[in-house]
Amino acid sequence: MSRRVVFLLAAALFLVSALHGTGAETKLSFAQGTDANALDPANATGTVTASIIFHMYNALTRTTSDGEVVGDLATSFKALNDTTWEFKLRKGVKFHNGEDFNAASVKFTVDRILDTSKKYKMTSDFLFIKEVKIIDDYTINLITKTPYAGTPLRMFYLSMVPPKYLAEKGDAGFAASPVGTGPYKFVSWKKDSQLVLEAYKDYYAGAPAIDKVAFRVIPDDASRVAALEAGDIDLISGVPSSQVARLSQNPNLVVAPRATTRVMYIGMNTIIPGPLQDKRVRQALNYAVDVDSIVKNVLDGNGTVLATISTPQYFGYAPDVKPYKRDVAKAKQLLKEAGYEKGFAVDLSFVPGAMPGAKDAMQVVAAQMAEVGVTVNPVEIENALMIQQLASKKISPLFFQGIGGPYADLELISRISFGTNERYSAYSNITFDDLRNKASATIDPTKAKELWKQLQEMARDEAPAIFLFQQFSIYAYNKKLMDWKPRLDQMILTYGSKFGK
């Protein structure tokens, strides 16, 4: 065969390759307002972090975009009795370093998270587990301390880690260069700037169609939108509701609002001495805020007013527990009864990136509080500082917070937000804790619903927070991104997506 013929054949093959998109690396750039806080699942708190974690790792279970719990590294799961869950494990799965996934991996992962001496941030969420018993290489029984119906959902957030690699690298080495079984492998991370992942070609469910995923941090809402419109970014979260109508007119973009599991509230630090230790004051602040007005005028209707700490999607939601309605006279009366007829001054901490419009919403809250004689000073802080201050219970008297995410339910929200000594809580009430524990240990659905209703009634009465709304997330993306849709839990998962022409 002549050189000319060989050259022409090579050129033709190159042209075919180019036309069909093969040989060219595909990269998806996603921008959000804040960065991950850890790459070790044992310390990975928050939904932003979860979005990155679940590109690299798998757990025994997962949830669909609408919140249904299904198997992942477990092919099946079932309750053998009130405290024993059997998980059948997927065969042939390997970690990114070549290590086999099996029952020993599950036991190692569970034992690791239960090691309270390590002080992992996620440990408290799994202390309901007593132990893991290995039945065979691909069957385990997970034993809980008490009955806990939420076990399959909770196991969604316990990402499996490789025992040999961790023994070799240690916690610090593992956190710097993480290894999981997920569809993407770790490449690099420049904190508060960009994290890059590449496709894991041996992923058990098939190699991802998109070769690389870059998570960019763009805190400013307007800058994030501008980057999308300029084509520098393919997908963004946190679209301001005020921009929805305009972006929807762009023929190159898709705008996708979605109700979420996230409960937004203004927490109250009742640990430190002050007015907020009086229930009447806490109730007064709830009466002072017009949540309907905030949802309508600040969020452009993208939210659902909540009575307490449950969204309508949670098991046990009690629709007959009604939200506080603004009542200035009632608020003033309660403040007078509590000895604060002349009001008081208080700081309100908030993270601007907590949601689009957070700053505007807090300014509205401050203006409404002023009408009942309470002077509120909104203070912007960074998310990392907020978490640190909450952990030490040295947060300001009022703080804007949102809790939701991958395995959010009434047990999780009520525990980590308002449980004694919990990571996001500045409130303590042993009776509330006991009622929550009783509800979560009740297997009978009818009895459990009644207990969860009692918990919501107690939450409304005790008012450990100013209850606000269920957050809607608004996403926008390039229409060339196909087979992606927003999730109830707000995680941005790109596996299964692809680029069209």
Side-chain angles (χ1 to χ4, degrees):
M1 185 179 294
S2 71
R3 289 184 178 181
R4 177 177 174 79
V5 172
V6 171
F7 173 79
L8 290 172
L9 283 172
L13 287 171
F14 175 81
L15 180 60
V16 170
S17 173
L19 287 172
H20 288 276
T22 58
E25 182 180 79
T26 54
K27 180 179 179 180
L28 184 151
S29 293
F30 162 62
Q32 52 197 356
T34 57
D35 202 357
N37 55 43
L39 299 185
D40 181 343
N43 290 313
T45 60
T47 306
V48 168
T49 302
S51 292
I52 294 172
I53 287 291
F54 282 102
H55 280 76
M56 296 187 289
Y57 301 91
N58 296 95
L60 296 183
T61 60
R62 63 180 178 86
T63 59
T64 66
S65 61
D66 294 320
E68 179 188 0
V69 182
V70 296
D72 192 358
L73 291 182
T75 56
S76 66
F77 53 90
K78 64 180 179 181
L80 300 181
N81 55 53
D82 283 355
T83 58
T84 304
W85 291 81
E86 177 190 79
F87 291 85
K88 292 287 186 178
L89 307 181
R90 194 175 298 280
K91 298 178 181 179
V93 176
K94 289 185 179 292
F95 289 95
H96 300 155
N97 66 333
E99 233 177 286
D100 290 326
F101 165 76
N102 50 34
S105 310
V106 179
K107 181 170 175 55
F108 174 84
T109 300
V110 173
D111 289 348
R112 179 179 186 244
I113 201 69
L114 294 181
D115 184 352
T116 55
S117 69
K118 294 294 187 69
K119 301 187 184 302
Y120 296 124
K121 293 179 180 178
M122 295 304 303
T123 292
S124 64
D125 285 4
F126 298 97
L127 291 178
F128 69 94
I129 300 173
K130 180 181 180 181
E131 63 176 321
V132 166
K133 290 185 177 179
I134 295 177
I135 307 305
D136 59 45
D137 283 350
Y138 292 97
T139 307
I140 63 104
N141 284 351
L142 189 144
I143 317 298
T144 61
K145 295 175 182 176
T146 59
Y148 183 50
T151 297
L153 175 62
R154 183 58 53 83
M155 294 309 293
F156 168 42
Y157 207 73
L158 188 54
S159 297
M160 296 295 111
V161 296
K164 294 178 183 177
Y165 184 76
L166 258 160
E168 174 190 343
K169 297 291 186 180
D171 283 356
F174 177 71
S177 185
V179 164
T181 61
Y184 285 89
K185 300 188 297 182
F186 176 76
V187 175
S188 63
W189 186 23
K190 184 177 180 181
K191 191 76 172 74
D192 296 321
S193 178
Q194 179 174 261
L195 184 143
V196 179
L197 307 175
E198 67 180 7
Y200 177 41
K201 300 302 183 183
D202 295 322
Y203 185 54
Y204 85 79
I210 297 173
D211 298 310
K212 283 191 175 181
V213 178
F215 294 86
R216 295 264 305 277
V217 180
I218 305 178
D220 181 68
D221 294 343
S223 298
R224 206 159 50 247
V225 170
L228 175 72
E229 292 182 292
D232 298 331
I233 298 293
D234 302 300
L235 166 66
I236 65 172
S237 64
V239 176
S241 57
S242 60
Q243 297 295 307
V244 169
R246 185 180 67 81
L247 291 176
S248 297
Q249 299 302 311
N250 189 324
N252 298 317
L253 301 178
V254 177
V255 181
R258 180 71 153 93
T260 74
T261 59
R262 188 161 300 275
V263 175
M264 308 302 295
Y265 60 90
I266 296 174
M268 303 188 197
N269 189 344
T270 64
I271 305 299
I272 59 175
L276 299 180
Q277 290 187 323
D278 192 314
K279 180 173 75 172
R280 293 167 296 184
V281 173
R282 301 196 299 268
Q283 291 176 339
L285 299 191
N286 273 279
Y287 282 117
V289 177
D290 188 346
V291 184
D292 291 278
S293 174
I294 293 172
V295 169
K296 179 181 178 181
N297 299 313
V298 179
L299 306 180
D300 297 299
N302 288 287
T304 300
V305 176
L306 295 178
T308 59
I309 51 177
S310 181
T311 74
Q313 287 78 17
Y314 292 163
F315 173 81
Y317 171 70
D320 50 344
V321 177
K322 300 300 182 184
Y324 281 87
K325 287 290 184 183
R326 191 174 199 228
D327 189 331
V328 172
K330 179 71 171 176
K332 288 182 176 180
Q333 174 193 339
L334 286 166
L335 289 171
K336 182 178 180 180
E337 291 175 5
Y340 295 98
E341 183 175 6
K342 295 182 179 180
F344 55 90
V346 65
D347 284 347
L348 192 172
S349 298
F350 72 98
V351 177
M355 72 168 199
K359 185 174 183 177
D360 291 341
M362 294 308 97
Q363 289 173 341
V364 170
V365 167
Q368 293 174 348
M369 291 282 198
E371 294 182 40
V372 302
V374 176
T375 301
V376 171
N377 175 38
V379 179
E380 295 186 23
I381 65 173
E382 295 182 352
N383 188 55
L385 180 60
M386 170 81 81
I387 293 172
Q388 178 184 335
Q389 290 180 347
L390 277 168
S392 65
K393 313 309 173 192
K394 294 179 180 179
I395 192 74
S396 62
L398 296 178
F399 54 95
F400 180 54
Q401 182 67 289
I403 303 293
Y407 58 108
D409 58 8
L410 253 173
E411 191 281 332
L412 179 80
I413 300 295
S414 58
R415 178 171 54 80
I416 67 175
S417 300
F418 308 112
T420 301
N421 293 324
E422 288 289 341
R423 62 181 179 271
Y424 298 137
S425 173
Y427 175 75
S428 178
N429 184 321
I430 300 303
T431 304
F432 188 80
D433 295 340
D434 290 344
L435 180 56
R436 181 195 68 244
N437 291 333
K438 184 178 180 181
S440 65
T442 301
I443 301 299
D444 181 271
T446 302
K447 294 178 180 178
K449 285 181 178 179
E450 178 55 35
L451 290 170
W452 287 124
K453 179 183 176 182
Q454 291 176 25
L455 189 84
Q456 290 164 79
E457 290 172 338
M458 185 177 182
R460 189 187 187 281
D461 180 62
E462 287 294 323
I466 301 171
F467 303 113
L468 298 176
F469 48 83
Q470 173 187 16
Q471 184 182 357
F472 285 21
S473 282
I474 307 175
Y475 308 88
Y477 58 94
N478 191 307
K479 71 174 184 180
K480 291 183 179 180
L481 178 62
M482 302 174 65
D483 300 330
W484 181 86
K485 63 179 180 179
R487 295 169 54 93
L488 180 67
D489 59 21
Q490 294 181 282
M491 286 205 300
I492 311 295
L493 302 183
T494 64
Y495 178 72
S497 303
K498 62 186 177 183
F499 283 113
K501 295 182 179 180

